[in-house]
C-alpha cells in the first residue's frame, strides 16, 4: 500500500525550486509539500510567501509532516536538522554529500534506532541512479571497482582546457553557467569528489571511511604544458573518484587521470557525470547522466520520495561483512608529473622513473610512485606542479 507523504522542505534554492516544480508537474506521487523553511526573509521567491517559514521547528515539531527533504547549502545546519528530524521519527531525503560524508554512521544509527529511512540518491552523480543500484543490484563478492566522474565543475573545466582554454577562463565559465560552488575550492581541490567517493564506497563495499582517510587531489594546478602532453599522447584528463577492492584490500582516492580512447568514460564531457562499475562477471558498466542542475538533481530527490511511498530504506547488507576488509593507500601508481624544474618533482619519492624531460621552463617525469608515500602531502597547495595517473 502507498503511504501518504506530507513533506517539510528545507531550502528553496536551485534544487529546492526544482523539486517543487517536478513534484507539481509529475502528478505521479501522493505527496504534498506543506511547508518550506529557508534562511533569508528578504529574498524574492518564485512562489507565494504563505509557503515559507524561517523557523525550522515549524517543520520539525509538526506531527503531520512525516518526510523531511533537506536541500540546504550548509552542512553543519543540515546535520542538526536531519538529526532532529530522524529523532522525531520523520523519514529524511537529502542531497548533502558533505554532511553525509562527515556523519554517515551517526546518521545511520539514528535512522535505525527510530525505524525511519534516510535516502540520498541525489548526493552522488545528480540524476544518475547509482546508490540504489550499488545497494541492490551488485553483491559484495563480485564488485571490484567504482570509478566516478562525479563533479560537473571539474569535468567541465578539464573538457574545456582540452579545447585550448586556460584553467582560469574555464573556471569562470563553469561559475557563470552555475556549475561551480560559490567557493570553488570544494570542486577544484576534489573535496566534493571525495565526499561522494566515501558514499559510493559505503554502498559498493559496505565500509564507512572518514573523509580524512581519503587522499584528494584536484585540478587547480593544471598548466597548458600538461594539457599539451595529454593531447600529444591522445589522452583525455578526468578527475576520478576511485574505489577498488582486491581480495581484502580496499583502496580509495581522488586524483586526475589521463585516459585513452578505449576507456568507457572517454566521452563523458563537460558537466556530465559518470560512474563506471566493475564487477567480476559483468565487466565494466557505465552509468552516465547530468550530475547537477535543478531538474536532474530534483529527479533523484523525487525518486527517493517516491520510494518512501513503499517504505523503502537502504539495508546496508554489505556492511555486515567488512571485518576482513582493510583500507590502505599502499598501491603503486604510474604517474606523469610536470613542474617548472626537475628538482620540484623529487617530492614524489619515485620508485622507478621511466621518462625524464627538462625544457627551458618546464620539466616532467613519468614513473611509478606509491600512494602511501605521497598521501601525506596536500598537492592542492603545490602550485608549481601538476600530476595525473597514467593509463595502466
Ligand atoms: N545545485 C546542484 O546541482 C546540486 C547537485 C547535487 C547536490 N546538491 C546539493 O543540494 C543541496 C542544495 O543545493 P542548492 O544548489 O539547491 O543550494 P542553493 O541554491 O545555494 O540554495 C540553498 C538553500 O538553502 C537555504 N538555507 C541555507 N541555510 C539554511 C538554514 N540554516 N535553514 C534553512 N534554509 C537554509 C537557502 O535559503 P535562502 O533561499 O533563504 O538563502 C537556500 O534556499 C546542497 O547540499 C548541494 O550540495 C546540489
Amino acid at each position: 500500500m502507498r503511504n501518504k507523504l506530507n513533506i517539510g522542505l528545507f531550502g528553496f534554492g536551485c534544487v529546492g525550486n526544482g523539486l517543487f516544480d517536478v513534484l507539481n508537474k509529475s502528478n505521479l506521487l501522493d505527496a504534498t509539500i506543506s511547508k518550506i523553511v529557508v534562511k533569508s526573509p528578504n529574498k524574492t521567491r518564485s512562489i507565494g510567501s504563505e509557503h515559507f517559514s524561517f523557523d525550522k521547528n515549524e517543520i520539525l515539531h509538526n506531527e503531520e509532516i512525516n518526510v523531511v527533504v533537506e536541500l540546504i547549502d550548509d552542512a553543519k545546519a543540515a546535520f542538526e536538522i536531519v538529526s532532529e528530524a530522524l529523532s522525531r521519527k520523520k523519514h529524511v531525503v537529502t542531497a548533502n554529500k558533505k554532511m553525509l560524508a562527515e556523519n554517515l554512521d551517526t546518521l545511520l544509527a539514528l535512522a535505525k534506532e527510530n525505524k525511519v529511512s534516510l535516502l540520498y540518491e541525489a548526493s552522488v552523480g545528480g540524476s544518475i541512479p547509482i546508490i540504489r543500484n550499488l545497494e541492490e543490484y551488485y553483491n559484495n563478492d563480485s564488485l571490484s571497482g567504482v570509478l566516478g566522474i562525479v563533479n560537473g565543475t571539474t569535468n567541465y573545466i578539464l573538457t574545456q582546457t582540452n579545447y585550448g582554454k586556460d584553467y582560469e577562463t574555464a573556471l569562470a565559465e563553469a561559475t557563470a553557467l552555475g556549475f561551480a560552488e560559490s567557493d570553488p575550492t570544494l570542486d577544484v581541490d576534489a573535496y566534493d569528489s571525495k565526499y561522494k567517493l566515501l558514499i559510493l564506497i559505503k554502498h559498493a563495499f559496505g565500509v564507512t571511511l572518514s573523509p580524512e582517510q581519503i587522499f584528494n587531489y584536484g585540478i587547480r594546478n593544471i598548466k597548458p604544458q600538461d594539457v599539451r602532453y595529454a593531447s600529444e599522447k591522445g589522452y583525455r584528463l578526468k578527475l576520478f573518484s576511485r574505489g577498488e577492492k582486491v581480495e581484502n584490500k580496499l583502496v580509495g582516492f581522488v586524483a586526475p587521470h589521463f585516459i585513452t580512447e578505449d576507456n568507457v568514460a572517454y566521452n563523458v564531457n563537460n558537466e556530465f557525470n559518470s560512474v563506471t562499475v566493475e564487477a567480476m562477471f559483468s565487466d565494466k558498466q557505465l552509468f552516465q547522466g547530468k550530475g547537477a542542475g535543478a531538474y536532474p538533481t530534483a529527479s533523484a530527490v523525487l525518486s527517493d520520495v517516491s520510494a518512501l511511498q513503499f517504505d523503502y530504506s537502504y539495508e546496508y547488507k554489505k556492511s555486515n561483512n567488512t571485518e576482513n576488509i582493510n583500507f590502505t593507500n599502499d598501491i603503486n601508481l604510474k604517474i606523469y608529473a610536470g613542474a617548472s624544474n626537475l628538482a620540484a618533482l623529487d617530492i614524489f619519492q619515485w620508485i622507478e622513473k621511466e621518462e625524464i624531460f627538462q625544457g627551458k621552463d618546464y620539466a616532467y617525469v613519468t614513473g611509478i610512485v606509491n600512494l602511501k608515500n605521497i598521501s601525506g602531502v596536500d598537492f592542492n597547495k603545490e602550485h608549481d606542479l601538476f600530476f595525473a595517473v597514467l593509463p595502466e
Side-chain angles (χ1 to χ4, degrees):
M1 212 186 81
R2 290 181 179 209
N3 301 323
K4 164 109 184 84
L5 304 177
N6 191 4
I7 299 172
L9 171 63
F10 283 90
F12 200 69
C14 173
V15 188
N17 242 303
L19 178 68
F20 192 87
D21 280 0
V22 296
L23 199 57
N24 286 335
K25 274 183 190 152
S26 70
N27 260 342
L28 295 171
L29 299 186
D30 191 4
T32 324
I33 297 179
S34 51
K35 192 49 77 188
I36 305 171
V37 169
V38 284
K39 193 175 175 184
S40 327
N42 303 324
K43 256 189 193 171
T44 312
R45 311 280 171 186
S46 58
I47 55 173
S49 60
E50 70 280 6
H51 292 282
F52 295 98
S53 166
F54 309 96
D55 175 7
K56 64 179 178 177
N57 293 335
E58 280 209 32
I59 289 178
L60 295 172
H61 293 185
N62 184 336
E63 303 271 313
E64 310 273 287
I65 289 177
N66 55 0
V67 177
V68 164
V69 176
E70 181 281 300
L71 298 171
I72 74 172
D73 57 344
D74 174 340
K76 197 162 164 279
F79 177 61
E80 284 166 20
I81 289 164
V82 169
S83 308
E84 186 166 353
L86 294 171
S87 303
R88 289 178 177 275
K89 304 196 184 306
K90 298 181 192 305
H91 302 294
V92 173
V93 175
T94 175
N96 203 317
K97 54 267 170 173
K98 183 170 193 285
M99 176 203 64
L100 289 163
E102 286 172 346
N103 305 287
L104 196 55
D105 277 350
T106 308
L107 293 171
L108 300 193
L110 262 179
K112 193 171 175 195
E113 187 188 325
N114 290 286
K115 299 190 175 54
V116 284
S117 299
L118 170 66
L119 302 179
Y120 41 82
E121 188 63 69
S123 66
V124 183
S127 66
I128 304 173
I130 188 63
I131 295 176
R132 236 181 289 164
N133 269 299
L134 288 173
E135 182 68 21
E136 304 293 335
Y137 185 84
Y138 296 95
N139 84 40
N140 203 17
D141 295 335
S142 64
L143 199 59
S144 55
V146 283
L147 196 58
I149 298 173
V150 286
N151 182 273
T153 305
T154 46
N155 203 40
Y156 180 86
I157 295 170
L158 291 174
T159 305
Q160 293 300 320
T161 54
N162 209 33
Y163 298 149
K165 290 185 186 150
D166 63 33
Y167 170 81
E168 300 296 342
T169 309
L171 173 59
E173 277 181 15
T175 309
L177 288 164
F179 305 143
E181 302 273 342
S182 44
D183 171 10
T185 307
L186 287 180
D187 296 317
V188 299
D189 290 348
Y191 286 94
D192 181 76
S193 298
K194 152 159 111 169
Y195 300 140
K196 290 166 175 169
L197 177 61
L198 188 149
I199 296 167
L200 286 174
I201 283 176
K202 178 69 179 174
H203 290 274
F205 306 117
V207 176
T208 310
L209 298 174
S210 70
E212 295 71 35
Q213 282 176 286
I214 302 178
F215 174 80
N216 60 295
Y217 175 52
I219 63 160
R220 81 158 64 227
N221 300 320
I222 190 169
K223 315 269 184 322
Q225 292 93 326
D226 308 312
V227 177
R228 204 174 318 127
Y229 173 88
S231 74
E232 279 169 15
K233 305 271 181 196
Y235 297 150
R236 282 190 184 159
L237 251 179
K238 301 289 165 197
L239 183 66
F240 276 148
S241 294
R242 182 167 159 183
E244 276 167 20
K245 190 164 131 289
V246 183
E247 291 166 358
N248 292 337
K249 196 165 128 176
L250 174 66
V251 175
F253 66 99
V254 186
H257 285 60
F258 289 127
I259 60 171
T260 48
E261 210 174 349
D262 58 354
N263 190 305
V264 291
Y266 191 76
N267 290 315
V268 178
N269 288 323
N270 288 316
E271 73 275 28
F272 278 84
N273 280 198
S274 69
V275 180
T276 307
V277 178
E278 193 162 1
M280 199 189 293
F281 304 116
S282 52
D283 204 348
K284 291 191 174 101
Q285 290 168 302
L286 181 79
F287 292 78
Q288 182 183 358
K290 289 206 167 152
Y295 285 2
T297 311
S299 78
V301 175
L302 189 72
S303 174
D304 280 350
V305 172
S306 166
L308 288 176
Q309 289 195 304
F310 305 99
D311 289 323
Y312 179 76
S313 57
Y314 306 133
E315 286 182 55
Y316 301 98
K317 282 183 278 212
K318 294 171 196 172
S319 295
N320 298 328
N321 201 13
T322 57
E323 36 320 326
N324 296 324
I325 303 179
N326 298 312
F327 180 73
T328 176
N329 281 328
D330 187 5
I331 175 180
N332 280 354
L333 300 170
K334 186 172 166 189
I335 67 162
Y336 152 97
S340 59
N341 62 79
L342 279 178
L345 300 174
D346 288 343
I347 195 168
F348 284 102
Q349 303 185 35
W350 298 94
I351 294 169
E352 192 183 307
K353 288 182 183 172
E354 285 186 3
E355 230 186 307
I356 301 174
F357 169 82
Q358 169 74 77
K360 196 159 89 48
D361 53 10
Y362 163 62
Y364 75 80
V365 174
T366 67
I368 310 289
V369 297
N370 191 295
L371 181 61
K372 182 168 58 118
N373 296 335
I374 63 168
S375 53
V377 180
D378 183 355
F379 283 95
N380 292 310
K381 298 206 170 94
E382 299 291 328
H383 300 305
D384 180 39
L385 63 85
F386 176 76
F387 84 86
V389 179
L390 284 162
E392 272 144 39

